[in-house]
């Protein structure tokens, strides 16, 4: 049975139309940004569309003359710029449009690289933009109109194939073919194009190494030696992969540096299907030794989406000390410090040293209560 899946940010995004600000929608490639905007605009025909992949469109929008742009746009009420990060000085162009049009026209820009889209618009569009991030499908989106038991039945598929919109509803063979295609053709296309990196082989090797270390602290020095890459190159590639929504880092939490075992980060993937495709492992959970790591990555991903879509702005960490005490995931929010340990089916008590922190809480998240953690009714 096929289900129509609504995106959580659609309603607030619609409500921001014609309020005198640019709407910027960013997120990983192939998560449905263009599809979402086209869906929202489907009943409106007074639209001018630009695509940053098109050289003519790039050249037209790179001209910082409002008179030229105004003639180009004419009477159109909505200007939709897809793949906007590829347009030179896009921030200045968007500023010109919103400053001159105000709430009489709606400017929309989408892109898959926060480095090139958000960084190039941060200063020029201060106070002039609404920014939304779209992620792979969340479990709350997939199962909002379905019985919670459906999530239990499909959980293994989510851990193996992820939740990219085009992947979720396909057969096993189709899922694997599409995921492998994405990793080979689209995953870091913007990095190669925009950062003038000629060869993808080093990034391929780095991603494969990172894919084998999810849930573990990552040593950049070890990666540098393993891959025979300069340490600064490793640092740069990881930064670019994060800003292009392939991976993200979780930093260690500490208030007393002497008690911290390491200041190394943990690295996770925005989508587990992508992670598994990188190491070409689509085996069922019963035949895997990385089930715990997949479970941890899955729960952190879904919690991240939940917090983002409900505008709950938390600081995220993990915690580990010299004496072996550790907690997988921490949320620091207002005066609270909430620790979560992720186990597939095991029990684990709270470390005593963790509860010594002011306002610290602890919760084990396993198969019995993970839907509560993800707010799935």
């Amino acid at each position: 049975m096929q289900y129509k899946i609504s995106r959580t940010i659609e309603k607030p995004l619609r409500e921001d139309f014609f309020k005198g600000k640019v709407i910027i929608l960013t997120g990983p490639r192939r998560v449905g940004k263009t599809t979402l905007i086209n869906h929202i605009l489907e009943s409106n025909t007074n639209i001018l569309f630009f695509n940053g992949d098109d050289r003519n469109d790039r050249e037209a929008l790179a001209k910082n003359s409002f008179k030229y742009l105004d003639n180009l746009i004419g009477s159109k009420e909505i200007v939709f710029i897809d793949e906007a990060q590829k347009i030179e000085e896009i921030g200045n162009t968007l500023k010109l449009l919103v400053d001159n049009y105000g709430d009489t026209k709606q400017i929309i820009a989408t892109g898959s690289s926060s480095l090139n889209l958000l960084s190039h618009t941060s200063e020029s569009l201060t106070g002039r933009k609404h920014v939304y991030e779209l992620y792979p499908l969340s479990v709350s989106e997939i199962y909002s109109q379905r019985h919670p038991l459906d999530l239990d039945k499909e959980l293994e598929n989510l851990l193996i194939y992820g939740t990219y919109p085009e992947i979720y509803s396909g057969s096993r063979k189709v899922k694997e073919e599409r995921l492998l295609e994405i990793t080979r053709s689209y995953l870091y296309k913007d990095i190669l194009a925009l950062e003038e990196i000629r060869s993808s082989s080093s990034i391929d090797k780095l991603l494969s190494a990172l894919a084998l270390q999810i849930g573990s602290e990552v040593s950049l020095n070890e990666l540098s030696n393993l891959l025979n890459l300069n340490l600064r190159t490793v640092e740069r590639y990881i930064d670019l992969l994060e800003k292009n929504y392939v991976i993200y880092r979780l930093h260690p939490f500490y208030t007393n540096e002497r008690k911290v075992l390491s200041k190394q980060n943990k690295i996770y993937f925005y989508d587990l299907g992508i992670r598994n495709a990188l190491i070409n492992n689509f085996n069922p959970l019963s035949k895997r030794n990385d089930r715990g790591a997949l479970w941890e990555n899955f729960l952190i991903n879904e919690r991240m989406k939940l917090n983002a879509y409900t505008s709950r702005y938390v600081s995220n960490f993990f915690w580990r000390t010299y004496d072996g005490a550790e907690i997988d995931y921490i949320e620091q929010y207002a005066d609270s410090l909430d620790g979560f340990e992720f186990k597939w089916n095991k029990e684990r008590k709270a470390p005593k040293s963790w509860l010594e922190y002011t306002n610290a809480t602890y919760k084990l998240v396993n198969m019995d209560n993970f839907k509560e953690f993800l707010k799935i009714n």
Side-chain angles (χ1 to χ4, degrees), residues 7 23 31 60 95 124 128 175 192 200 204 210 249 263 282 293 307 363:
R7 305 312 299 261
I23 290 175
V31 295
K95 181 178 182 296
S124 56
R128 300 177 176 91
K175 290 175 191 285
L192 299 177
S200 65
D204 286 331
L210 293 174
R249 285 174 276 197
K263 295 181 183 179
F282 297 110
N307 287 334
K363 190 174 186 65

Side-chain angles (χ1 to χ4, degrees), residues 1 36 44 91 132 135 199 201 208 220 251 271 310 312 375:
M1 181 183 296
L36 175 59
N44 193 317
Y132 290 89
Y135 302 100
S199 173
S201 61
S208 295
L220 301 190
H251 303 288
D271 184 78
T310 57
R312 184 171 180 267
K375 310 296 184 184

Side-chain angles (χ1 to χ4, degrees), residues 252-265:
F253 174 83
Y254 59 90
T255 56
N256 185 335
E257 293 190 20
R258 293 182 180 179
K259 292 185 178 181
V260 176
L261 176 64
S262 172
K263 295 181 183 179
Q264 295 172 163
N265 298 321

